[in-house]
């Protein structure tokens, strides 16, 4: 469970102050899939970074109930952040190498993940030899490697082509159902948010704050039939209207 | 480039060889290239010159490794604990302004005539360029790597070994290139001031005996050895660098 209480973030000092996030209360139960959407600059990344304690909050707190795990969260950064001197396989294996998992076990896990994200044949490539979308997929595989209970994903699919994106969406949905992870996914795609989420948080900019939340009442597992479900289409159009209001 | 360098060397040697008889320079002032070459060959065959080169190189190597390890450790300490940096930086800068030649006699007094003072002097001159290179490597490291380290809860050692050190490789090579040139000079200075072995010792002996051919031969040999070290480092840099940029 993630308990967010009066959490806010202000960047900068004096005249340069930017209110990235106004005080926010939210409780995310274990096993929820929360999609976060909102226009650029509304504090989506800030919220994820606060939850991962990559930023210190200006006020409020985030409590993760994860049984004092050493690594409670896996994070997929907006710009992949692979280590350029490590190969794809070494990058994916990195979280395992740094927790003393045996080489053999780690390699098996890496092979499985490489398959999952469709990077077979590129294990020995360096990140700079990959396209943006492939790098992003390697970063997703890395975040999954040591199986963290909470997965924070900051626009993980933004650089991925549409077809691969749909495949990865389905894979993520499947992983979520299978593992019961708590997932927070930031996306610019309203369809993706509704298709994957059990809840959608809509944020609005200047100042960044939570505008609305929607419980997504769609049958699991999601699939092609979901995309034709009238409830799905209604939600998508409602979210889209909301987004349009904010950006105009 | 290599070819041009050889052509240039051959040209200069030819000019030098021609100038000696044409201007009738006395041999004790400027021996010809052939005299110098003969002297070097003699020193190799009869005077353990190869061993002296080995001695100097091991001092350079030992001091370089020592200076680099301490330099990298200091950079890490500075990056992690800004207070240490604020306290120590003025002191280090002050020490940097002391001419290294002036430290050499002191080190000889403290550490005797063996390899130790030379190794120490090499370490002193290596320390600064390596330390600044490592520090700027860490400072200008991609900020996201720090985020990744935090998310993965890396230990300080893991952070150093898997992230900070590889991220600093390009700047470290730049620092090491500066350091090798200084290191070679430092070892020879140490040997010139008091030693019974090493290239500087052979050079000093040549000077004491007014043996210009030996002195010139050693100077040429030193520049070759210095160049070879530089070339090895440059080769290593090319081999690894494009992976780390
Ligand atoms: N390190 C920082 N220093 C100063 N201001 C920042 C910093 N990071 C973010 N901001 C500001 O905080 C606000 C929210 O930024 P944030 O990155 O969270 O937005 P976002 O919703 O993720 O946007 P995008 O969709 O473009 O990624 C923006 O106005 C941004 O300019
Ligand atoms: Mg963002």
């Amino acid at each position: 469970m993630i308990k967010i209480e009066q959490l806010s973030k202000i960047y900068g000092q004096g005249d340069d102050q930017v209110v990235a996030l106004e005080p926010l209360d939210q409780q995310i139960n274990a096993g929820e899939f929360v999609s976060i959407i909102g226009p650029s600059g509304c504090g989506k990344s800030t919220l994820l970074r606060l939850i991962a304690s990559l930023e210190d909050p200006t006020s409020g707190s985030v409590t993760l109930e994860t049984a004092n795990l050493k690594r409670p969260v896996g994070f997929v950064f907006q710009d992949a952040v692979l280590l350029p001197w490590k190969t794809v396989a070494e990058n994916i294996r990195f979280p395992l190498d740094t927790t003393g998992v045996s080489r053999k076990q780690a390699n098996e896990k890496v092979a499985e993940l490489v398959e999952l994200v469709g990077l077979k044949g590129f294990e020995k490539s360096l990140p700079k030899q990959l396209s943006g979308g492939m790098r992003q997929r390697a970063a997703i595989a890395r975040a999954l490697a040591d199986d963290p209970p909470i997965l924070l994903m900051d626009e993980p699919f933004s650089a991925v082509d549409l077809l691969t994106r749909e495949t990865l969406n389905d894979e993520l949905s499947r992983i979520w159902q299978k593992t019961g992870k708590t997932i927070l996914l930031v996306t610019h795609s309203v369809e993706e948010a509704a298709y994957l989420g059990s809840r959608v948080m809509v944020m609005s900019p200047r100042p960044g704050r939570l505008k609305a939340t929607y419980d997504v009442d769609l049958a699991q597992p999601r699939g092609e039939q979901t995309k034709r479900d009238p409830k799905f289409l209604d939600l998508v159009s409602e979210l889209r209207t909301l987004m349009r209001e904010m950006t105009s | 480039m290599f070819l041009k360098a050889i052509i240039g060397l051959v040209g200069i040697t030819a000019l030098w060889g021609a100038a000696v008889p044409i201007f009738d320079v006395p041999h004790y002032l400027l021996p010809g290239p052939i005299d110098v070459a003969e002297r070097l060959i003699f020193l190799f065959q009869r005077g353990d010159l190869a061993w002296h080169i080995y001695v100097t190189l091991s001092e350079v190597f030992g001091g370089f490794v020592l200076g680099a390890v301490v330099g990298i450790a200091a950079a890490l300490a500075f990056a992690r604990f800004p207070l240490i940096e604020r306290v120590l930086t003025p002191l280090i800068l002050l020490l940097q302004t002391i001419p290294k030649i002036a430290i050499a006699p002191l080190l000889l007094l403290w550490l005797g005539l063996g390899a130790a003072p030379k190794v120490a002097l090499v370490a002193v001159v290596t320390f600064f360029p390596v330390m600044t290179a490592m520090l700027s490597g860490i400072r200008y490291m991609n900020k996201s790597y720090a985020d990744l380290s935090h998310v993965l809860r890396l230990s300080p050692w893991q952070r150093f070994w898997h992230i900070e050190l590889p991220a600093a490789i390009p700047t470290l090579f730049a620092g090491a290139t500066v350091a090798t040139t200084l290191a070679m000079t430092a070892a020879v200075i140490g040997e010139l001031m008091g030693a019974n072995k090493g290239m500087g010792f052979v050079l000093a002996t040549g000077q004491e005996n007014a043996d210009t051919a030996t002195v010139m031969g050693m100077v040429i040999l030193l520049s070759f050895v210095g160049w070879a070290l530089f070339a090895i480092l440059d080769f290593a840099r090319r081999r690894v660098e494009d992976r780390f940029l």
Side-chain angles (χ1 to χ4, degrees):
Chain A
M1 190 180 75
I2 305 172
K3 197 187 255 164
I4 300 168
E5 288 170 299
Q6 286 297 302
L7 184 68
S8 78
K9 179 72 189 178
I10 298 174
Y11 287 109
Q13 307 268 313
D15 286 347
D16 295 330
Q17 274 195 358
V18 180
V19 180
L21 189 66
E22 285 207 326
L24 181 137
D25 283 293
Q26 195 72 207
Q27 182 166 321
I28 297 162
N29 294 319
E32 272 197 84
F33 193 130
V34 179
S35 305
I36 303 169
I37 56 169
S40 192
C42 67
K44 305 182 294 295
S45 297
T46 302
L47 177 59
L48 287 200
R49 293 177 60 80
L50 284 165
I51 293 171
S53 71
L54 290 173
E55 304 282 351
D56 294 323
T58 305
S59 78
S61 66
V62 176
T63 319
L64 305 179
E65 281 173 20
T66 45
N68 293 325
L69 267 182
K70 185 181 163 226
R71 276 181 197 163
V73 304
F75 204 112
V76 181
F77 297 94
Q78 200 161 350
D79 44 7
V81 194
L82 298 175
L83 300 173
W85 49 85
K86 289 189 188 280
T87 63
V88 166
E90 286 165 350
N91 266 291
I92 298 174
R93 210 177 52 214
F94 188 41
L96 301 170
D97 286 346
T98 46
T99 35
V101 175
S102 80
R103 205 19 102 87
K104 184 168 164 291
Q105 238 178 325
N107 283 337
E108 279 167 18
K109 183 77 193 175
V110 169
E112 184 188 310
L113 287 165
V114 162
E115 185 93 45
L116 179 78
V117 296
L119 283 177
K120 220 166 161 42
F122 294 93
E123 293 91 336
K124 293 204 166 67
S125 305
L126 289 172
K128 67 173 171 201
Q129 297 165 322
L130 304 183
S131 70
M134 290 162 90
R135 258 177 254 154
Q136 203 60 344
R137 282 184 269 154
I140 294 167
R142 177 180 62 192
L144 291 169
D146 62 344
D147 207 23
I150 298 173
L151 201 52
L152 306 175
M153 309 176 87
D154 198 350
E155 298 185 37
F157 309 128
S158 53
V160 179
D161 66 277
L162 201 62
L163 212 63
T164 316
R165 186 169 185 154
E166 288 182 347
T167 317
L168 288 175
N169 277 179
D170 289 334
E171 277 305 335
L172 183 61
S173 197
R174 203 181 54 76
I175 289 169
W176 171 62
Q177 290 209 4
K178 201 176 75 181
T179 60
K181 286 183 196 306
T182 313
I183 300 183
L184 270 72
L185 172 88
V186 170
T187 173
H188 271 130
S189 158
V190 169
E191 285 85 359
E192 193 170 86
Y195 181 68
L196 292 172
S198 59
R199 180 152 40 134
V200 178
M201 285 171 62
V202 184
M203 298 180 62
S204 67
R206 284 174 301 274
R209 60 195 170 83
L210 182 63
K211 189 168 174 79
T213 64
Y214 291 83
D215 287 319
V216 185
D217 177 27
L218 293 168
Q220 298 287 358
R222 311 260 164 96
E224 279 312 307
Q225 78 289 348
T226 310
K227 292 175 186 167
R228 291 188 299 269
D229 188 328
K231 278 194 285 189
F232 171 77
L233 296 170
D234 284 349
L235 179 59
V236 166
S237 81
E238 197 172 335
L239 291 172
R240 182 158 288 138
T241 314
L242 204 61
M243 291 284 280
R244 202 166 288 143
E245 275 170 20
M246 280 188 285
T247 41
S248 62
Chain B
M1 195 207 92
F2 199 66
L3 194 69
K4 278 184 196 154
I6 287 178
I7 292 171
L9 274 180
V10 170
I12 288 174
T13 313
L15 277 178
W16 168 24
V20 174
I22 290 172
F23 298 106
D24 200 19
V25 193
H27 265 213
Y28 61 85
L29 280 185
L30 183 65
I34 295 178
D35 300 318
V36 171
E38 274 173 1
R39 178 55 52 94
L40 280 180
I41 290 168
F42 170 78
L43 286 173
F44 268 113
Q45 284 173 340
R46 307 273 295 277
D48 307 330
L49 187 50
W51 178 70
H52 289 294
I53 295 176
Y54 166 76
V55 167
T56 302
L57 283 180
S58 27
E59 290 162 2
V60 168
F61 184 75
F64 186 87
V65 170
L66 183 64
V69 167
V70 176
I72 288 174
L76 269 181
F78 290 178
R80 299 264 160 88
F81 310 105
L83 186 67
I84 297 184
E85 184 181 14
R86 255 174 283 149
V87 173
L88 286 186
T89 300
L91 191 67
I92 289 174
L93 285 176
L94 195 71
L95 288 177
Q96 265 320 102
T97 58
I98 300 174
K100 298 307 161 302
I101 305 180
I103 311 179
L106 198 58
L107 289 173
L108 288 169
L109 284 175
W110 285 343
L111 300 171
L113 293 179
K118 289 89 181 176
V119 169
L121 194 61
V122 172
V124 167
V125 300
T126 305
F127 169 81
F128 196 71
V130 170
M131 190 270 286
T132 42
M134 184 71 201
L135 198 55
S136 64
I138 299 177
R139 288 266 154 78
Y140 300 113
M141 189 177 82
N142 187 341
K143 285 270 180 297
S144 315
Y145 296 164
D147 292 344
L148 181 66
S149 308
H150 181 84
V151 166
L152 293 178
R153 304 289 191 270
L154 298 186
S155 69
W157 169 256
Q158 289 172 331
R159 233 170 100 172
F160 165 71
W161 184 249
H162 289 285
I163 300 200
E164 286 160 339
L165 186 62
I169 288 280
T171 49
L172 271 179
F173 264 106
T177 308
V178 175
T180 29
T181 327
L182 297 175
M184 195 66 202
T185 314
V188 173
I189 286 174
E191 290 169 352
L192 279 174
M193 291 197 173
N196 47 23
K197 57 192 180 199
M199 295 173 81
F201 165 71
V202 179
L203 188 61
T205 313
Q207 189 211 351
E208 278 159 26
N209 298 338
D211 177 357
T212 317
T214 297
V215 172
M216 286 189 66
M218 290 312 293
V219 169
I220 292 169
L221 200 58
L222 278 170
S223 68
F224 270 111
V225 172
W227 175 81
L229 288 181
F230 183 84
I232 291 169
L233 202 67
D234 201 51
F235 175 75
R237 181 179 64 80
R238 270 168 224 242
R239 282 299 295 274
V240 303
E241 197 174 65
D242 64 281
R243 189 165 181 159
F244 290 88
L245 276 178

